[in-house]
Amino acid sequence: MDRNRCADLLRVCAIGAVVLGHWLLVSVTYRGGQLSGSDALLSISWARWVTLVLQVMPVFFLVGGYVNARSWTVRHEQGETWTDWVRRRTMTLMWPTALYVGTIVLTLDLARSAGAAPADLARIGWLVALHLWFLPVYLILIALTPLALAAHRRWGLAVPVAMAATAAAVDVAVLGAHEPVVGYVNYLLVWGAMHQWGFAWQDGTLTRPRSRCVLLAGTGLVSLTVLLTLGPFPVDMIGAGRQVGNTSPPSIALLAFAATQTGLLLAAEPVLTRLVSRPAWARSVSRLNRTVMTVYLWHMVPVALVAVAFYPTGVMPQPAIGTGEWWVLRAAWLALLATVLVPLVLLVNALLWPLRRLPAGLGPGGRWSPVLMAGSLVAAVPAFLLFATRGFAPGGHPPMLALALFTGSVLAALLSGRPAGAAPPSATPVPAGSATAGRLPRAHRGAAGRGRSRHQPRSVDGRRSASGSSPASVNASRASTSRLRWPRGMAATMRAISERRRSVASRTVLRPLPVRLMRISRRLSALGSRSSMPAFARRSTIRMAVEGMTSRCSPSREMFIAPRLSSTTSMRNWGRVSVSSTVARERADTDTRRREAVRTAVTTSSATSS
C-alpha cells in the first residue's frame, strides 16, 4: 500500500502551523508573584484575520479521513474485524498520550510536594492539557469510520452536505432558541463532515475531475463571506469569541472556512505531489511525519518550562501586548521554545520506541472483545474532556477521576484480545534458515496451498468441503491466510534470507584464510611443475592461479584480489586482474590440435613413401 506523500506533507505543515499559532498567540505574564497567560487575539484587533491562516485543524480531520478510509479498506479486505482495527488505531494514539499524561501529572505532583503554589500548578496544568480536546473527537470518528465509509460509498458527497445542513440547524437552535447544550452536537457534525471529505479524497470522488475542488472552495468562500458579513459569527477561527465562537462548539462558519481551505489544498495536490516526490523532500517529510503526534502532544511543555525559568527571575521582559518591543521579543521567544522542543521530541521518541513494540492486545479475543473495546472508547472520551477542560492539576491536585477513566480505557483496550491471526507470545519460533522458515503450518496454508483447483477452492483448514466448495468465500479464505502469513511467515522469511546470505558469504568471500592459502600454494606448486610449458600455456596457468586466489566465479569475468569482508556485492579491490582462462584454454587446445595434425601428416607421408 503506497503512501500518499501529499497527505503526509499536509499533516506536517498543519502541525507546524498549530505550533506556531499557539506559541505566537499565547502571551505569558508574571505579576504579583503569580504566572498567568492571556490570548493575544483579545488585545490585537487585526490579529483575528491571521487565524484564517493559522486555523489548520480541518487539515488534520481531512487527512485523518483519508488515512482511516484507506486503512479500513485494506484491513477489512484482509478479514480484520471492527474490534481489531479500532484497537490498533486507538492504541497508536493511546501509548504516546499515556506517556504524556503520566509524565505531566507526575511532574506537577512533585512540584506540589516541593511547595509550588496550587494556583500556578492549576494554570500550568490547564495550559498543557487544553489541546487534548482533539483526541476524544478523533477517537469517536475512528470508531464510526466503517459506518461512515459505508454511507459514503452509498450516497457519496450527499453525506457531508446533509451534515452541513444539520450543523446549520443546530446553530439556529443555539443562537435563536438559546439552547447551548445542543451546540455540542456540532463537534461530530462539523468535524465529521471534514472527515467525510477525506473519504471522498481517498476514492477520488472529490478530486476527479479536479474542478470539483474548485467548486468546493468557491462554495465555501461565498458561504463564509455571507456568514461573516450578515451573520453573527466573528472572523476569529481559533478563539471562542466574545459573544459567539467558531470553535467551542464549532460553527457552520468554521465548516465554510474548512470547505474553502480543503478545496484550495486539493486543487493544488498535483503541484504538492511533484514537490514532495523529490528524494530530499520525501525523506524529510517522512521523518517529520513520524513525529507529528509527539510534537502535537508536547509542544506546549516548552512554554511552561521557559515561563517558569525566565519570567519569575526577571530574565524575560514583559512589554505590553501588541507593542513593537513585544513583536521583537516574539522572535526570540519562538527561537527559545524551538531550542527546547527539538531535544524534548528526540527524547520522547526514544522513550516511545519500546511502547510502540508492545502488542495491540493481550490474550485471546472472544465474544466480549467488542464490548471491551466499546467500553474503552466510552471511558476515554470523558477522560480527555476532563483533561482538556480542567487541566492536569485542578486546584493544585491530580485529577483522580480523569486518571482512573484514562487508565481503565487503556486496560480495556489491551484486554480486548489480540488481533485475529496474530501469533501468541509463547509461540515456538521457526528456526532461521530451516526448510520450513517463512512457511505456514500445513494446517493453515488453506487457499495458498499448491494444487488447488480453480473450480474447487479449499477452506481455511486446507480441506475441501463435501460439495466441492469452501465453507467461506475465496476472499475470506485468502484474507485468513494473509492474516496468518503476515505475523509469522514474513518475519521468518526475512530471517531465512539473511541467514542464507551470510552462509553464501562465508563460503565465498569470507572463506577462512588457511583454506585460501592452501589453494594458493597448490596453484603455485602446479605452476612450478609446469615451467617447461609453452609461454601461452604458462600465461594461462598464471591466470588460473590468480583465479584460485579469489572467489569462485564463472570464467572471463573481472575478479578482485583481497575483497572487503563487509560486502559480497560491492567489493573494493587492491589490484584487479582480468581472468580469461577460457580463451587461454581454447588457444592451447588449438595449438595442440595443430601439432597433432602435423604429426599425423608426417606419419602418413612417411608410411606412404615407404
Side-chain angles (χ1 to χ4, degrees), residues 263-334:
L264 293 177
L265 291 176
L266 295 185
E269 181 184 6
V271 178
L272 298 176
T273 302
R274 286 194 299 269
L275 178 65
V276 80
S277 62
R278 301 174 183 177
W281 280 79
R283 289 191 297 269
S284 300
V285 170
S286 179
R287 286 194 295 267
L288 293 174
N289 185 65
R290 291 192 291 267
T291 64
V292 165
M293 186 63 182
T294 304
V295 172
Y296 182 81
L297 288 175
W298 293 82
H299 75 278
M300 292 303 292
V301 173
V303 176
L305 294 178
V306 172
V308 171
F310 289 92
Y311 279 94
T313 57
V315 176
M316 184 73 71
Q318 304 178 55
I321 299 176
T323 61
E325 186 181 358
W326 185 84
W327 282 109
V328 171
L329 288 175
R330 285 290 95 179
W333 169 259
L334 296 178

Side-chain angles (χ1 to χ4, degrees), residues 167-519:
V170 169
D171 280 343
V172 171
V174 172
L175 298 176
H178 302 286
E179 296 290 341
V181 179
V182 182
Y184 290 99
V185 179
N186 275 357
Y187 274 103
L188 288 182
L189 293 175
V190 174
W191 299 120
M194 305 171 196
H195 198 254
Q196 292 289 132
W197 292 339
F199 297 165
W201 180 20
Q202 189 270 333
D203 65 2
T205 305
L206 192 57
T207 56
R208 290 194 297 265
R210 193 67 61 177
S211 57
R212 294 185 179 180
C213 304
V214 180
L215 179 61
L216 177 64
T219 304
L221 181 59
V222 172
S223 302
L224 181 62
T225 304
V226 172
L227 291 172
L228 295 183
T229 54
L230 303 179
F233 302 100
V235 179
D236 181 9
M237 292 294 163
I238 292 179
R242 291 183 173 88
Q243 296 179 353
V244 179
N246 288 322
T247 56
S248 302
S251 65
I252 189 62
L254 179 62
L255 185 58
F257 166 79
T260 306
Q261 187 181 64
T262 300
L264 293 177
L265 291 176
L266 295 185
E269 181 184 6
V271 178
L272 298 176
T273 302
R274 286 194 299 269
L275 178 65
V276 80
S277 62
R278 301 174 183 177
W281 280 79
R283 289 191 297 269
S284 300
V285 170
S286 179
R287 286 194 295 267
L288 293 174
N289 185 65
R290 291 192 291 267
T291 64
V292 165
M293 186 63 182
T294 304
V295 172
Y296 182 81
L297 288 175
W298 293 82
H299 75 278
M300 292 303 292
V301 173
V303 176
L305 294 178
V306 172
V308 171
F310 289 92
Y311 279 94
T313 57
V315 176
M316 184 73 71
Q318 304 178 55
I321 299 176
T323 61
E325 186 181 358
W326 185 84
W327 282 109
V328 171
L329 288 175
R330 285 290 95 179
W333 169 259
L334 296 178
L336 186 59
L337 294 181
T339 304
V340 177
L341 180 64
V342 172
L344 179 63
V345 169
L346 295 178
L347 176 61
V348 171
N349 283 336
L351 296 176
L352 282 175
W353 184 82
L355 292 178
R356 292 192 177 107
R357 299 182 65 87
L358 293 176
L362 300 176
R367 296 180 179 179
W368 60 87
S369 295
V371 177
L372 284 176
M373 195 61 240
S376 173
L377 296 175
V378 170
V381 170
F384 286 127
L385 290 178
L386 288 175
F387 285 142
T389 55
R390 302 185 61 189
F392 289 123
H397 299 279
M400 302 308 298
L401 177 59
L403 289 175
L405 290 173
F406 179 73
T407 304
S409 172
V410 175
L411 292 178
L414 286 175
L415 296 177
S416 61
R418 291 187 304 272
S426 60
T428 303
V430 180
S434 62
T436 58
R439 299 182 184 177
L440 294 174
R442 184 175 299 275
H444 295 288
R445 291 180 189 173
R450 297 182 178 179
R452 184 186 65 179
S453 173
R454 292 180 57 188
H455 304 287
Q456 193 174 6
R458 292 182 183 271
S459 59
V460 176
D461 60 356
R463 297 174 294 181
R464 302 183 190 277
S465 60
S467 61
S469 60
S470 64
S473 64
V474 178
N475 290 336
S477 179
R478 291 175 180 172
S480 177
T481 306
S482 300
R483 292 198 308 273
L484 293 171
R485 183 182 292 113
W486 176 255
R488 288 182 287 183
M490 294 299 294
T493 302
M494 296 306 297
R495 289 195 300 267
I497 291 174
S498 300
E499 183 66 24
R500 179 170 178 81
R501 286 178 176 174
R502 287 193 294 269
S503 62
V504 171
S506 64
R507 292 196 303 268
T508 55
V509 176
L510 303 181
R511 185 182 290 110
L513 183 61
V515 177
R516 305 190 69 172
L517 293 177
M518 291 177 60
R519 290 173 57 86

Side-chain angles (χ1 to χ4, degrees), residues 7 34 82 91 100 140 184 198 217 284 394 426 442 472 518 570 585 590 599:
Q34 290 185 348
W82 175 86
M91 296 310 298
Y100 178 72
I140 294 175
Y184 290 99
S284 300
S426 60
R442 184 175 299 275
M518 291 177 60
S570 58
R585 290 196 194 97
T590 303
R599 188 182 302 108

